[in-house]
Amino acid sequence: MNLREKLTSIQTSLKAPKGQFNSFGKYHYRSCEDILESLKSHLASTKTAIIINDEIIAVGTRIYVKATATLLDDESEETISISASARECEDKKGMDASQITGATSSYARKYALNGLFCIDDNKDADSSDNSKDDKKPKEQKEYKCEKCSKNFEEWTDTKGK
């Protein structure tokens, strides 16, 4: 098998359960560690390895963590990589700077792994049974820029001016 075939095999057979629970928001989620634990047997059976690297990127005054997940074929040394970025929040109550960076890194790594292994973290709108919904058109939400109180369209049109 070449690396693309191995990746397809992993993508179609990987089950990464949502092993964590957020008691505040009352929802289950999967962590980076949950995904990595689920991957181990697949990596062994396909003779592949996963390598994850972080890069710190400053954009203006904001700090981003760019995580790159690389699938390495142990037999051919061929690789496939996917990157994802997350922005550090400026201040997170109860966390020091290193904890903020660590949490941001975990988040970026999780989404790089999601991209590489086709893990969908969103609920699929098509999986809901909407047949019982009444046929009234849904009300559109209006988005406003908090700083200038303009509608989103107006704000994006004037943003660079």
Side-chain angles (χ1 to χ4, degrees):
M1 263 198 283
N2 66 35
L3 184 57
R4 285 182 184 221
E5 291 168 330
K6 292 177 180 187
L7 177 58
T8 299
S9 173
I10 295 170
Q11 288 173 339
T12 57
S13 61
L14 179 66
K15 303 286 185 244
K18 294 182 177 182
Q20 310 299 316
F21 183 71
N22 180 309
S23 57
F24 179 75
K26 309 253 188 284
Y27 61 88
H28 292 274
Y29 66 97
R30 73 178 57 83
S31 67
C32 179
E33 292 79 13
D34 292 332
I35 297 168
L36 292 172
E37 188 61 35
S38 297
L39 266 174
K40 288 180 182 178
S41 64
H42 298 280
L43 297 173
S45 67
T46 57
K47 296 183 179 165
T48 56
I50 191 80
I51 300 166
I52 307 173
N53 294 312
D54 288 343
E55 179 183 354
I56 305 298
I57 300 170
V59 178
T61 61
R62 302 308 306 245
I63 303 296
Y64 291 79
V65 177
K66 177 183 174 186
T68 301
T70 301
L71 184 66
L72 170 68
D73 189 332
D74 293 339
E75 297 172 315
S76 70
E77 296 189 21
E78 186 182 4
T79 63
I80 297 175
S81 296
I82 296 287
S83 296
S85 297
R87 186 180 78 195
E88 285 188 351
C89 58
E90 291 178 7
D91 184 30
K92 182 82 171 159
K93 217 173 192 176
M95 286 185 154
D96 66 23
S98 63
Q99 290 171 316
I100 291 171
T101 301
T104 307
S105 169
S106 291
Y107 193 82
R109 287 171 171 231
K110 172 184 165 179
Y111 282 97
L113 290 167
N114 284 353
L116 185 59
F117 296 109
C118 293
I119 301 169
D120 187 2
D121 249 9
N122 299 315
K123 286 193 175 182
D124 186 353
D126 294 334
S127 69
S128 303
D129 180 7
N130 297 326
S131 62
K132 295 178 184 156
D133 289 350
D134 57 349
K135 302 297 179 199
K136 294 179 195 172
K138 292 189 178 179
E139 188 178 312
Q140 283 193 326
K141 292 182 181 177
E142 189 175 289
Y143 297 96
K144 292 192 180 268
C145 171
E146 293 175 10
K147 292 182 180 176
C148 61
S149 299
K150 292 184 179 181
N151 288 340
F152 182 73
E153 292 77 20
E154 294 174 300
W155 179 70
T156 54
D157 289 341
T158 61
K159 189 172 150 186
K161 296 178 184 174

